[in-house]
Amino acid sequence: MQDIETLWKLILEKLELRISSVSFMLWIKTIKPLEIDVNGNIVLVAQSVTAKNQILRNFVDKIAECANEVSGKEYNITVLDQNEEAEYLKNNKINEKNSTKTQEKSPFKEKFTFDNFVVGKSNQFVYAAARTVAEHPGKRYNPLFIYGGVGLGKTHLLHAIGNFIYEFSPNLKIMYVTCEQFTNDYIASLYSPTKNKSIMEFRGKYRNLDVLMVDDIQFISRGKETQEEFFHTFNELIMNNKQIIICSDRPPKDIETLEDRLRSRFSSGLIHDIQAPDIETRIAILHKKSQLEKYYAEDDAINYIAERVDSNIRDLEGKLSEVYFLATLNGKKVATITEAKEVFLNEPKEDIKNDLTTDKIISVVCNYFNIDEKDIIGKKKNKEIVTPRMIAIYLISELLNLPLVNIGKIFGGRDHTTIMHSRDKIDGELKTNKKTETIIKEIKALL
Ligand code: ADP
Ligand code: MG
Protein backbone atom coordinates (compact mmCIF):
# COMPACT_ATOMS: atom_id res chain seq x y z
CA MET A 1 0.00 0.00 0.00
CA GLN A 2 1.91 3.04 -1.23
CA ASP A 3 -0.96 5.44 -1.53
CA ILE A 4 -0.47 7.93 1.28
CA GLU A 5 -4.02 9.27 1.12
CA THR A 6 -5.60 5.89 1.72
CA LEU A 7 -3.07 4.89 4.30
CA TRP A 8 -3.55 8.15 6.17
CA LYS A 9 -7.32 7.71 6.22
CA LEU A 10 -6.94 4.33 7.84
CA ILE A 11 -4.41 5.65 10.32
CA LEU A 12 -6.78 8.45 11.26
CA GLU A 13 -9.57 6.01 11.99
CA LYS A 14 -7.36 4.20 14.46
CA LEU A 15 -5.79 7.29 15.94
CA GLU A 16 -9.10 8.90 16.65
CA LEU A 17 -9.87 6.17 19.14
CA ARG A 18 -6.60 6.60 20.99
CA ILE A 19 -6.27 10.28 21.69
CA SER A 20 -8.53 12.90 23.17
CA SER A 21 -10.95 14.42 20.72
CA VAL A 22 -9.59 17.91 21.35
CA SER A 23 -6.05 16.83 20.54
CA PHE A 24 -7.31 14.95 17.55
CA MET A 25 -9.11 17.96 16.14
CA LEU A 26 -6.37 20.41 16.97
CA TRP A 27 -3.26 18.53 16.01
CA ILE A 28 -4.09 15.45 13.99
CA LYS A 29 -6.93 16.40 11.69
CA THR A 30 -5.01 19.41 10.49
CA ILE A 31 -2.09 17.30 9.29
CA LYS A 32 -1.58 17.05 5.56
CA PRO A 33 -0.18 13.68 4.46
CA LEU A 34 2.49 14.39 1.84
CA GLU A 35 3.95 11.11 0.67
CA ILE A 36 5.69 7.90 1.51
CA ASP A 37 9.23 8.68 0.51
CA VAL A 38 11.81 6.40 -1.08
CA ASN A 39 13.11 5.36 2.31
CA GLY A 40 9.68 4.33 3.46
CA ASN A 41 9.11 7.34 5.71
CA ILE A 42 5.66 8.70 6.05
CA VAL A 43 6.08 12.41 5.44
CA LEU A 44 3.49 14.63 7.08
CA VAL A 45 3.01 18.38 7.06
CA ALA A 46 1.85 20.15 10.21
CA GLN A 47 -0.06 23.38 9.82
CA SER A 48 2.22 25.37 12.12
CA VAL A 49 5.47 25.07 13.96
CA THR A 50 3.58 24.73 17.22
CA ALA A 51 1.55 21.91 15.73
CA LYS A 52 4.70 20.23 14.49
CA ASN A 53 6.25 20.35 17.95
CA GLN A 54 3.11 18.99 19.54
CA ILE A 55 2.97 16.14 17.06
CA LEU A 56 6.64 15.29 17.54
CA ARG A 57 6.32 15.42 21.28
CA ASN A 58 3.08 13.55 21.77
CA PHE A 59 1.82 11.72 18.74
CA VAL A 60 4.50 10.36 16.39
CA ASP A 61 4.76 7.08 18.25
CA LYS A 62 1.04 6.55 18.12
CA ILE A 63 0.97 7.42 14.43
CA ALA A 64 3.73 4.90 13.69
CA GLU A 65 1.91 2.30 15.76
CA CYS A 66 -1.34 2.79 13.87
CA ALA A 67 0.47 2.79 10.52
CA ASN A 68 2.01 -0.51 11.46
CA GLU A 69 -1.34 -1.97 12.46
CA VAL A 70 -3.10 -1.03 9.26
CA SER A 71 -0.32 -1.94 6.85
CA GLY A 72 1.82 -4.48 8.68
CA LYS A 73 4.87 -2.36 7.84
CA GLU A 74 7.28 -0.39 9.99
CA TYR A 75 7.25 3.25 9.06
CA ASN A 76 9.30 6.14 10.31
CA ILE A 77 7.34 9.32 10.61
CA THR A 78 8.76 12.62 9.38
CA VAL A 79 6.91 15.79 10.31
CA LEU A 80 7.55 19.03 8.44
CA ASP A 81 6.22 22.49 9.01
CA GLN A 82 5.10 24.52 6.04
CA ASN A 83 8.44 26.18 5.46
CA GLU A 84 10.12 22.83 5.44
CA GLU A 85 7.50 21.47 3.11
CA ALA A 86 8.38 24.09 0.53
CA GLU A 87 12.04 23.10 0.79
CA TYR A 88 11.17 19.45 0.68
CA LEU A 89 9.05 19.77 -2.42
CA LYS A 90 11.79 21.70 -4.13
CA ASN A 91 14.49 19.21 -3.24
CA ASN A 92 12.56 16.05 -3.89
CA LYS A 93 10.63 17.23 -6.88
CA ILE A 94 7.69 15.13 -5.82
CA ASN A 95 4.29 15.54 -7.34
CA GLU A 96 5.62 14.96 -10.83
CA LYS A 97 1.97 14.69 -11.78
CA ASN A 98 1.58 18.38 -11.00
CA SER A 99 4.81 19.33 -12.63
CA THR A 100 3.35 21.16 -15.58
CA LYS A 101 1.50 23.33 -13.12
CA THR A 102 4.40 23.88 -10.77
CA GLN A 103 6.86 24.66 -13.51
CA GLU A 104 5.24 27.95 -14.30
CA LYS A 105 4.74 28.71 -10.66
CA SER A 106 7.33 30.61 -8.73
CA PRO A 107 9.60 28.24 -6.82
CA PHE A 108 9.31 30.57 -3.86
CA LYS A 109 6.75 30.34 -1.15
CA GLU A 110 3.61 31.85 -2.55
CA LYS A 111 2.53 33.68 0.57
CA PHE A 112 5.95 35.09 1.38
CA THR A 113 5.61 38.24 -0.71
CA PHE A 114 6.37 41.89 -0.04
CA ASP A 115 2.64 42.56 -0.06
CA ASN A 116 2.12 40.12 2.77
CA PHE A 117 4.97 41.51 4.82
CA VAL A 118 3.75 43.97 7.41
CA VAL A 119 6.13 46.89 7.78
CA GLY A 120 6.64 48.51 11.15
CA LYS A 121 9.35 50.24 13.13
CA SER A 122 11.15 46.99 13.80
CA ASN A 123 11.70 46.05 10.18
CA GLN A 124 11.22 49.13 7.99
CA PHE A 125 14.88 49.55 7.08
CA VAL A 126 15.42 45.93 6.31
CA TYR A 127 12.26 45.91 4.26
CA ALA A 128 13.45 48.92 2.27
CA ALA A 129 16.83 47.30 1.65
CA ALA A 130 15.24 44.02 0.53
CA ARG A 131 12.91 45.88 -1.76
CA THR A 132 15.75 47.88 -3.31
CA VAL A 133 17.77 44.75 -3.91
CA ALA A 134 14.76 43.07 -5.53
CA GLU A 135 14.25 46.05 -7.81
CA HIS A 136 17.92 46.53 -8.69
CA PRO A 137 19.69 43.24 -8.14
CA GLY A 138 23.49 43.55 -8.11
CA LYS A 139 23.36 47.32 -8.31
CA ARG A 140 22.93 48.75 -4.83
CA TYR A 141 23.65 46.84 -1.66
CA ASN A 142 25.91 43.95 -2.37
CA PRO A 143 26.06 41.75 -0.42
CA LEU A 144 23.01 42.43 1.67
CA PHE A 145 23.35 40.78 5.05
CA ILE A 146 20.21 40.50 7.19
CA TYR A 147 20.27 39.24 10.73
CA GLY A 148 17.77 38.87 13.54
CA GLY A 149 16.18 36.43 15.97
CA VAL A 150 14.15 33.37 15.10
CA GLY A 151 10.77 33.91 13.50
CA LEU A 152 11.19 37.58 12.70
CA GLY A 153 10.72 37.35 8.95
CA LYS A 154 14.16 36.78 7.44
CA THR A 155 13.16 33.82 5.33
CA HIS A 156 9.94 35.58 4.41
CA LEU A 157 11.95 38.50 3.02
CA LEU A 158 14.26 36.24 1.01
CA HIS A 159 11.27 34.56 -0.58
CA ALA A 160 9.68 37.96 -1.17
CA ILE A 161 12.78 39.01 -3.09
CA GLY A 162 12.61 35.73 -4.98
CA ASN A 163 8.94 36.12 -5.85
CA PHE A 164 9.47 39.70 -6.91
CA ILE A 165 12.37 38.95 -9.23
CA TYR A 166 10.64 35.88 -10.57
CA GLU A 167 7.70 38.02 -11.54
CA PHE A 168 9.37 41.21 -12.75
CA SER A 169 12.73 39.98 -14.05
CA PRO A 170 11.91 36.46 -15.18
CA ASN A 171 15.13 36.21 -17.17
CA LEU A 172 17.32 36.41 -14.12
CA LYS A 173 18.62 33.20 -12.60
CA ILE A 174 17.90 33.27 -8.94
CA MET A 175 18.42 30.69 -6.26
CA TYR A 176 17.53 30.32 -2.60
CA VAL A 177 19.41 27.80 -0.47
CA THR A 178 19.94 27.25 3.18
CA CYS A 179 23.54 27.14 4.26
CA GLU A 180 22.97 23.49 5.03
CA GLN A 181 21.80 22.74 1.50
CA PHE A 182 24.77 24.51 0.03
CA THR A 183 27.10 22.49 2.24
CA ASN A 184 25.40 19.18 1.55
CA ASP A 185 25.35 19.88 -2.12
CA TYR A 186 29.05 20.62 -2.13
CA ILE A 187 30.00 17.64 0.02
CA ALA A 188 27.91 15.37 -2.20
CA SER A 189 29.89 16.51 -5.21
CA LEU A 190 33.18 16.00 -3.35
CA TYR A 191 32.33 12.42 -2.55
CA SER A 192 30.69 11.60 -5.83
CA PRO A 193 32.35 8.79 -7.83
CA THR A 194 32.65 11.25 -10.69
CA LYS A 195 34.10 13.87 -8.44
CA ASN A 196 35.60 16.26 -10.95
CA LYS A 197 32.51 16.34 -13.08
CA SER A 198 30.29 16.81 -10.04
CA ILE A 199 32.32 19.69 -8.75
CA MET A 200 32.17 21.36 -12.14
CA GLU A 201 28.42 20.90 -12.09
CA PHE A 202 28.22 22.31 -8.61
CA ARG A 203 30.17 25.38 -9.67
CA GLY A 204 28.14 25.72 -12.83
CA LYS A 205 25.03 25.75 -10.72
CA TYR A 206 26.13 28.29 -8.13
CA ARG A 207 28.40 30.57 -10.06
CA ASN A 208 26.17 31.28 -13.04
CA LEU A 209 23.46 32.88 -11.04
CA ASP A 210 22.23 36.45 -11.08
CA VAL A 211 21.03 36.29 -7.51
CA LEU A 212 22.10 33.91 -4.78
CA MET A 213 20.32 33.89 -1.44
CA VAL A 214 21.78 31.90 1.40
CA ASP A 215 19.63 31.46 4.49
CA ASP A 216 20.80 30.63 8.02
CA ILE A 217 24.49 31.13 7.36
CA GLN A 218 25.12 30.78 11.12
CA PHE A 219 25.08 27.04 10.49
CA ILE A 220 28.17 27.17 8.34
CA SER A 221 30.45 24.43 9.54
CA ARG A 222 34.08 24.88 10.39
CA GLY A 223 34.97 22.61 7.45
CA LYS A 224 37.72 24.32 5.45
CA GLU A 225 36.49 23.00 2.13
CA THR A 226 32.97 24.37 2.34
CA GLN A 227 34.14 27.78 3.52
CA GLU A 228 36.69 27.89 0.76
CA GLU A 229 34.12 26.96 -1.85
CA PHE A 230 31.70 29.49 -0.48
CA PHE A 231 34.40 32.15 -0.51
CA HIS A 232 35.13 31.56 -4.18
CA THR A 233 31.47 31.40 -5.12
CA PHE A 234 30.97 34.65 -3.29
CA ASN A 235 33.88 36.41 -4.98
CA GLU A 236 32.96 35.22 -8.41
CA LEU A 237 29.41 36.45 -8.10
CA ILE A 238 30.27 39.79 -6.55
CA MET A 239 32.99 40.39 -9.11
CA ASN A 240 30.42 39.96 -11.85
CA ASN A 241 27.94 42.28 -10.12
CA LYS A 242 25.63 39.47 -9.22
CA GLN A 243 23.51 39.94 -6.15
CA ILE A 244 24.13 38.05 -2.92
CA ILE A 245 21.78 38.12 0.05
CA ILE A 246 22.61 36.36 3.26
CA CYS A 247 20.56 35.78 6.38
CA SER A 248 21.68 34.81 9.82
CA ASP A 249 20.43 34.85 13.37
CA ARG A 250 23.38 37.04 14.40
CA PRO A 251 25.79 39.55 12.87
CA PRO A 252 28.90 38.27 11.03
CA LYS A 253 31.18 39.15 13.92
CA ASP A 254 29.30 36.73 16.19
CA ILE A 255 29.34 33.70 13.91
CA GLU A 256 32.17 31.85 15.59
CA THR A 257 32.60 29.21 12.91
CA LEU A 258 33.06 31.77 10.17
CA GLU A 259 36.54 32.28 8.73
CA ASP A 260 37.81 35.83 8.92
CA ARG A 261 38.01 36.34 5.20
CA LEU A 262 34.32 35.43 4.79
CA ARG A 263 33.41 37.59 7.76
CA SER A 264 35.04 40.59 6.21
CA ARG A 265 33.40 39.86 2.85
CA PHE A 266 29.97 39.72 4.50
CA SER A 267 30.66 42.99 6.21
CA SER A 268 31.66 44.73 3.00
CA GLY A 269 28.10 45.43 1.88
CA LEU A 270 25.05 46.47 3.83
CA ILE A 271 24.26 44.84 7.15
CA HIS A 272 20.80 45.27 8.59
CA ASP A 273 19.08 43.79 11.57
CA ILE A 274 15.45 42.95 11.97
CA GLN A 275 14.00 43.38 15.43
CA ALA A 276 11.07 42.07 17.40
CA PRO A 277 7.87 43.84 16.37
CA ASP A 278 6.10 46.33 18.62
CA ILE A 279 2.50 45.77 19.65
CA GLU A 280 0.95 47.72 16.75
CA THR A 281 2.93 45.71 14.24
CA ARG A 282 2.02 42.46 15.98
CA ILE A 283 -1.65 43.35 15.78
CA ALA A 284 -1.30 44.31 12.12
CA ILE A 285 0.48 41.03 11.39
CA LEU A 286 -2.27 39.04 13.07
CA HIS A 287 -4.91 40.84 11.02
CA LYS A 288 -2.96 40.10 7.88
CA LYS A 289 -2.59 36.41 8.75
CA SER A 290 -6.19 36.16 9.78
CA GLN A 291 -7.19 37.41 6.36
CA LEU A 292 -4.62 35.33 4.44
CA GLU A 293 -5.20 32.06 6.24
CA LYS A 294 -8.89 32.64 6.89
CA TYR A 295 -8.35 32.33 10.61
CA TYR A 296 -11.20 34.62 11.51
CA ALA A 297 -10.91 36.23 14.91
CA GLU A 298 -12.50 39.16 16.70
CA ASP A 299 -10.34 42.19 17.47
CA ASP A 300 -10.40 41.36 21.18
CA ALA A 301 -8.97 37.93 20.53
CA ILE A 302 -6.32 39.33 18.23
CA ASN A 303 -5.26 41.95 20.74
CA TYR A 304 -5.14 39.35 23.48
CA ILE A 305 -2.75 37.19 21.45
CA ALA A 306 -0.64 40.15 20.35
CA GLU A 307 -0.15 41.20 23.95
CA ARG A 308 1.12 37.80 24.93
CA VAL A 309 3.53 36.79 22.22
CA ASP A 310 6.11 39.42 21.60
CA SER A 311 9.32 37.97 20.33
CA ASN A 312 8.56 35.51 17.56
CA ILE A 313 6.14 36.07 14.71
CA ARG A 314 5.98 32.39 13.92
CA ASP A 315 4.70 31.74 17.44
CA LEU A 316 2.30 34.61 17.06
CA GLU A 317 0.79 32.97 13.99
CA GLY A 318 0.82 29.58 15.67
CA LYS A 319 -1.26 30.95 18.51
CA LEU A 320 -3.74 32.54 16.13
CA SER A 321 -4.28 29.22 14.38
CA GLU A 322 -4.71 27.42 17.71
CA VAL A 323 -7.25 29.97 18.81
CA TYR A 324 -9.12 29.67 15.54
CA PHE A 325 -9.18 25.90 15.63
CA LEU A 326 -10.43 25.91 19.16
CA ALA A 327 -13.20 28.23 18.02
CA THR A 328 -14.19 25.84 15.24
CA LEU A 329 -14.31 23.07 17.83
CA ASN A 330 -16.71 25.23 19.77
CA GLY A 331 -18.81 25.51 16.63
CA LYS A 332 -17.89 29.11 15.93
CA LYS A 333 -16.85 30.66 12.65
CA VAL A 334 -14.99 33.52 14.29
CA ALA A 335 -12.71 33.14 17.27
CA THR A 336 -13.46 35.24 20.34
CA ILE A 337 -11.54 36.23 23.42
CA THR A 338 -12.88 33.12 25.19
CA GLU A 339 -10.84 30.83 22.94
CA ALA A 340 -7.85 33.14 23.11
CA LYS A 341 -7.89 32.93 26.89
CA GLU A 342 -8.30 29.18 26.84
CA VAL A 343 -5.27 28.72 24.59
CA PHE A 344 -3.13 30.78 26.91
CA LEU A 345 -4.39 29.10 30.05
CA ASN A 346 -1.40 27.66 31.90
CA GLU A 347 0.95 29.83 29.92
CA PRO A 348 2.30 32.72 31.91
CA LYS A 349 2.16 35.98 30.02
CA GLU A 350 5.48 36.47 28.28
CA ASP A 351 5.97 40.08 29.13
CA ILE A 352 4.90 39.84 32.74
CA LYS A 353 7.93 39.28 34.87
CA ASN A 354 8.09 35.99 36.68
CA ASP A 355 8.18 37.74 40.01
CA LEU A 356 4.58 38.79 39.72
CA THR A 357 2.66 37.43 42.73
CA THR A 358 -0.76 37.81 44.29
CA ASP A 359 0.80 39.91 47.06
CA LYS A 360 2.28 42.28 44.54
CA ILE A 361 -0.99 42.68 42.66
CA ILE A 362 -2.90 43.31 45.89
CA SER A 363 -0.35 45.82 47.10
CA VAL A 364 -0.29 47.72 43.81
CA VAL A 365 -4.10 47.84 43.64
CA CYS A 366 -4.30 49.07 47.25
CA ASN A 367 -1.74 51.77 46.60
CA TYR A 368 -3.54 52.82 43.48
CA PHE A 369 -6.84 53.27 45.30
CA ASN A 370 -5.21 54.33 48.52
CA ILE A 371 -6.90 51.69 50.66
CA ASP A 372 -5.71 49.27 53.29
CA GLU A 373 -4.61 45.74 52.38
CA LYS A 374 -6.55 44.36 55.34
CA ASP A 375 -9.74 45.87 53.93
CA ILE A 376 -9.33 44.56 50.42
CA ILE A 377 -9.21 40.96 51.57
CA GLY A 378 -11.66 41.59 54.41
CA LYS A 379 -15.44 41.77 54.64
CA LYS A 380 -16.23 45.46 54.09
CA LYS A 381 -18.93 46.05 51.51
CA ASN A 382 -18.66 49.78 50.82
CA LYS A 383 -18.06 50.79 47.23
CA GLU A 384 -14.60 52.27 47.92
CA ILE A 385 -13.42 48.79 48.83
CA VAL A 386 -15.61 46.53 46.70
CA THR A 387 -14.49 47.89 43.34
CA PRO A 388 -10.74 47.65 44.07
CA ARG A 389 -11.34 44.14 45.45
CA MET A 390 -13.02 43.05 42.23
CA ILE A 391 -10.25 44.61 40.20
CA ALA A 392 -7.59 42.79 42.21
CA ILE A 393 -9.47 39.53 41.76
CA TYR A 394 -9.78 40.14 38.06
CA LEU A 395 -6.08 40.90 37.69
CA ILE A 396 -4.96 37.90 39.71
CA SER A 397 -7.18 35.62 37.70
CA GLU A 398 -6.12 37.10 34.40
CA LEU A 399 -2.41 37.50 34.96
CA LEU A 400 -1.61 34.54 37.15
CA ASN A 401 -4.18 32.03 35.98
CA LEU A 402 -4.75 30.87 39.54
CA PRO A 403 -7.72 28.57 40.16
CA LEU A 404 -10.76 30.46 41.47
CA VAL A 405 -10.82 28.41 44.65
CA ASN A 406 -7.29 29.53 45.53
CA ILE A 407 -8.13 33.14 44.82
CA GLY A 408 -11.14 32.73 47.11
CA LYS A 409 -8.86 31.59 49.92
CA ILE A 410 -6.63 34.63 49.51
CA PHE A 411 -9.65 36.92 49.76
CA GLY A 412 -10.72 35.78 53.19
CA GLY A 413 -12.14 32.40 52.24
CA ARG A 414 -14.68 33.64 49.72
CA ASP A 415 -16.57 31.11 47.67
CA HIS A 416 -15.30 30.47 44.13
CA THR A 417 -18.59 31.61 42.60
CA THR A 418 -18.16 34.99 44.29
CA ILE A 419 -14.68 35.20 42.80
CA MET A 420 -15.98 34.25 39.38
CA HIS A 421 -18.69 36.88 39.65
CA SER A 422 -16.12 39.59 40.49
CA ARG A 423 -13.84 38.56 37.68
CA ASP A 424 -16.64 38.48 35.10
CA LYS A 425 -18.05 41.78 36.28
CA ILE A 426 -14.77 43.58 35.60
CA ASP A 427 -14.26 41.64 32.40
CA GLY A 428 -17.67 42.86 31.23
CA GLU A 429 -17.04 46.44 32.30
CA LEU A 430 -13.78 46.48 30.42
CA LYS A 431 -15.74 46.22 27.22
CA THR A 432 -18.31 48.88 28.01
CA ASN A 433 -16.72 51.28 30.44
CA LYS A 434 -13.80 53.41 29.34
CA LYS A 435 -13.01 54.39 32.92
CA THR A 436 -12.54 50.80 34.02
CA GLU A 437 -10.41 50.17 30.97
CA THR A 438 -8.13 53.07 31.87
CA ILE A 439 -7.84 51.98 35.50
CA ILE A 440 -6.86 48.46 34.51
CA LYS A 441 -4.34 49.75 32.02
CA GLU A 442 -2.77 52.06 34.59
CA ILE A 443 -2.53 49.36 37.22
CA LYS A 444 -1.04 46.92 34.72
CA ALA A 445 1.58 49.49 33.87
CA LEU A 446 2.46 49.72 37.57
CA LEU A 447 2.84 45.95 37.78
P1 ADP B 1 12.91 33.72 10.29
O1 ADP B 1 13.42 33.24 8.98
O2 ADP B 1 13.41 35.09 10.65
O3 ADP B 1 13.11 32.75 11.40
P2 ADP B 1 10.37 33.61 8.94
O4 ADP B 1 10.68 34.47 7.78
O5 ADP B 1 10.31 32.15 8.71
O6 ADP B 1 11.34 33.92 10.17
O7 ADP B 1 9.00 34.14 9.57
C1 ADP B 1 8.22 33.37 10.46
C2 ADP B 1 6.77 33.61 10.17
O8 ADP B 1 6.44 34.94 10.51
C3 ADP B 1 6.42 33.45 8.70
O9 ADP B 1 5.19 32.80 8.59
C4 ADP B 1 6.32 34.88 8.20
O10 ADP B 1 5.37 34.99 7.16
C5 ADP B 1 5.87 35.62 9.41
N1 ADP B 1 6.34 37.00 9.43
C6 ADP B 1 7.52 37.46 9.90
N2 ADP B 1 7.61 38.79 9.77
C7 ADP B 1 6.45 39.20 9.21
C8 ADP B 1 5.93 40.47 8.82
N3 ADP B 1 6.60 41.59 9.02
N4 ADP B 1 4.70 40.50 8.28
C9 ADP B 1 4.00 39.37 8.11
N5 ADP B 1 4.41 38.15 8.45
C10 ADP B 1 5.64 38.05 8.99
MG1 MG C 1 14.39 31.48 8.53
Side-chain angles (χ1 to χ4, degrees):
M1 190 192 318
Q2 285 299 308
D3 172 6
I4 182 71
E5 307 285 341
T6 320
L7 176 61
W8 185 242
K9 238 197 218 143
L10 296 170
I11 294 175
L12 281 187
E13 281 169 15
K14 294 225 170 244
L15 265 179
E16 193 168 8
L17 306 174
R18 298 194 192 173
I19 54 190
S20 80
S21 57
V22 174
S23 296
F24 185 79
M25 288 296 285
L26 263 180
W27 310 118
I28 306 296
K29 270 206 100 160
T30 50
I31 291 175
K32 180 174 98 185
L34 195 60
E35 68 159 351
I36 300 167
D37 72 10
V38 284
N39 304 318
N41 297 315
I42 292 182
V43 185
L44 304 172
V45 182
Q47 48 109 24
S48 68
V49 177
T50 319
K52 174 185 157 179
N53 292 337
Q54 285 285 347
I55 296 161
L56 288 177
R57 207 173 310 134
N58 302 318
F59 307 115
V60 266
D61 293 345
K62 289 202 178 75
I63 296 175
E65 225 172 81
C66 295
N68 177 259
E69 282 174 27
V70 297
S71 69
K73 286 190 199 155
E74 296 283 341
Y75 287 104
N76 284 321
I77 311 293
T78 304
V79 186
L80 310 173
D81 61 44
Q82 288 173 336
N83 280 340
E84 291 163 343
E85 179 199 14
E87 294 287 311
Y88 182 94
L89 291 174
K90 224 167 69 194
N91 294 337
N92 294 280
K93 300 203 178 50
I94 72 162
N95 282 340
E96 292 295 345
K97 25 181 174 139
N98 300 333
S99 62
T100 42
K101 245 194 332 196
T102 42
Q103 252 162 31
E104 299 141 32
K105 251 179 74 184
S106 161
F108 302 100
K109 230 180 141 180
E110 201 183 338
K111 288 189 177 147
F112 284 5
T113 58
F114 284 123
D115 284 346
N116 291 341
F117 191 85
V118 175
V119 183
K121 277 199 208 89
S122 56
N123 57 27
Q124 55 187 348
F125 296 115
V126 120
Y127 173 85
R131 189 85 204 199
T132 304
V133 160
E135 287 167 9
H136 312 279
K139 303 240 159 57
R140 300 283 169 87
Y141 313 125
N142 206 10
L144 172 63
F145 190 102
I146 298 173
Y147 72 91
V150 182
L152 293 184
K154 301 182 295 296
T155 301
H156 185 135
L157 277 178
L158 291 184
H159 281 257
I161 296 172
N163 278 316
F164 188 96
I165 294 180
Y166 193 84
E167 182 175 359
F168 295 105
S169 315
N171 299 327
L172 295 186
K173 281 201 269 325
I174 169 162
M175 180 145 94
Y176 164 95
V177 277
T178 61
C179 181
E180 198 187 355
Q181 283 166 343
F182 181 91
T183 309
N184 292 346
D185 214 6
Y186 183 58
I187 307 254
S189 69
L190 278 185
Y191 289 97
S192 148
T194 53
K195 177 172 164 182
N196 290 342
K197 189 167 159 256
S198 302
I199 292 183
M200 294 302 284
E201 273 170 15
F202 174 90
R203 292 187 180 149
K205 177 167 148 194
Y206 285 94
R207 295 188 190 183
N208 290 320
L209 292 168
D210 296 295
V211 182
L212 173 63
M213 304 190 279
V214 185
D215 205 354
D216 292 324
I217 196 85
Q218 74 272 11
F219 294 126
I220 193 157
S221 60
R222 280 187 202 279
K224 272 233 162 328
E225 280 127 336
T226 314
Q227 299 229 4
E228 169 120 13
E229 186 60 33
F230 193 71
F231 182 73
H232 292 302
T233 308
F234 186 98
N235 286 345
E236 177 103 8
L237 290 173
I238 294 277
M239 219 167 56
N240 292 312
N241 294 322
K242 307 300 188 188
Q243 180 71 48
I244 293 187
I245 308 143
I246 298 165
C247 283
S248 165
D249 68 349
R250 64 199 88 160
K253 67 175 172 44
D254 294 339
I255 308 175
E256 299 93 10
T257 47
L258 202 60
E259 283 181 6
D260 282 342
R261 57 179 176 169
L262 269 177
R263 186 169 304 148
S264 76
R265 282 292 184 284
F266 291 168
S267 311
S268 64
L270 183 70
I271 303 187
H272 252 313
D273 70 329
I274 188 164
Q275 288 172 354
D278 54 24
I279 180 85
E280 285 84 14
T281 313
R282 299 203 297 274
I283 292 173
I285 290 174
L286 284 174
H287 280 292
K288 185 99 203 172
K289 297 291 165 182
S290 143
Q291 171 201 338
L292 278 175
E293 307 292 339
K294 303 196 168 42
Y295 294 150
Y296 301 116
E298 288 179 358
D299 287 358
D300 271 3
I302 285 196
N303 297 348
Y304 193 88
I305 301 170
E307 273 171 24
R308 280 160 182 77
V309 183
D310 63 1
S311 55
N312 182 332
I313 297 169
R314 198 174 293 129
D315 290 351
L316 195 66
E317 288 177 28
K319 281 288 180 266
L320 175 66
S321 72
E322 281 181 50
V323 168
Y324 177 73
F325 277 100
L326 196 60
T328 59
L329 287 186
N330 293 343
K332 297 182 189 168
K333 295 216 158 61
V334 180
T336 68
I337 186 111
T338 315
E339 285 81 36
K341 285 189 174 166
E342 199 169 333
V343 163
F344 281 91
L345 213 74
N346 306 324
E347 280 191 36
K349 205 172 151 175
E350 262 189 29
D351 58 356
I352 292 286
K353 295 164 218 76
N354 288 334
D355 58 0
L356 192 61
T357 57
T358 48
D359 286 348
K360 174 140 188 222
I361 294 176
I362 289 174
S363 130
V364 169
V365 172
C366 287
N367 270 332
Y368 184 91
F369 289 104
N370 200 14
I371 57 172
D372 205 295
E373 286 189 27
K374 273 205 292 303
D375 289 338
I376 202 171
I377 58 175
K379 299 263 178 269
K380 283 191 184 161
K381 289 213 165 80
N382 46 324
K383 196 159 178 283
E384 294 73 43
I385 304 293
V386 171
T387 305
R389 185 182 292 139
M390 289 198 293
I391 287 181
I393 289 173
Y394 166 81
L395 286 169
I396 291 174
S397 153
E398 209 229 9
L399 299 177
L400 301 179
N401 280 325
L402 278 193
L404 297 173
V405 179
N406 297 18
I407 303 179
K409 281 190 193 134
I410 295 164
F411 286 86
R414 284 180 163 79
D415 186 69
H416 76 274
T417 49
T418 316
I419 300 297
M420 189 160 67
H421 172 75
S422 302
R423 182 198 64 191
D424 292 348
K425 179 124 197 297
I426 299 296
D427 200 27
E429 273 186 25
L430 266 177
K431 294 191 187 105
T432 51
N433 186 336
K434 270 262 166 276
K435 197 172 150 215
T436 310
E437 196 188 323
T438 312
I439 293 175
I440 297 285
K441 258 197 196 135
E442 286 175 355
I443 296 179
K444 277 188 176 173
L446 294 170
L447 290 168

